[in-house]
Amino acid sequence: MMSCFIGWTGDRSSLCMMSCFIGWTGETLCLAGDSAGGNLMISTALRAASFGIQIPDGIMAAYPVVLVRYTPSPARILALMDPLLPVGIMMRCLAGQ
């Protein structure tokens, strides 16, 4: 986790500068995101756990998409009429093509 954050900030000096500015000691780490960001935070935490690096102490994922499979639902019926995402493209995505 820390190596990802350090890579994102550029180098250790900017990490130290940022942590001093916001008062972060690095002892605890919480990830937050909504929609696709929530999905990204969950997958980042799972990836960190699989590599044995520091996992977050908390995750706040607001309405992430974590289970995508084709099942009949009101949302799927409304998706048939979606002008931005044609049903053919959606079916190909769900089929993994």
Side-chain angles (χ1 to χ4, degrees):
M1 226 20 122
M2 291 303 295
S3 61
C4 293
F5 185 73
I6 291 168
W8 178 72
T9 57
D11 58 29
R12 291 191 185 273
S13 61
S14 60
L15 175 64
C16 291
M17 184 176 68
M18 182 180 285
S19 64
C20 292
F21 177 70
I22 62 175
W24 183 56
T25 62
E27 293 176 17
T28 59
L29 179 66
C30 182
L31 303 177
D34 64 329
S35 191
N39 194 6
L40 181 62
M41 296 304 105
I42 292 170
S43 60
T44 301
L46 290 172
R47 186 82 169 186
S50 70
F51 280 105
I53 59 177
Q54 179 186 359
I55 59 172
D57 298 300
I59 299 174
M60 195 295 295
Y63 54 91
V65 178
V66 293
L67 178 62
V68 178
R69 68 171 114 157
Y70 185 73
T71 55
S73 70
R76 295 273 185 230
I77 293 169
L78 288 174
L80 293 173
M81 299 177 283
D82 189 350
L84 298 176
L85 180 62
V87 71
I89 293 174
M90 183 180 70
M91 294 300 288
R92 285 189 196 135
C93 290
L94 292 174
Q97 295 180 353

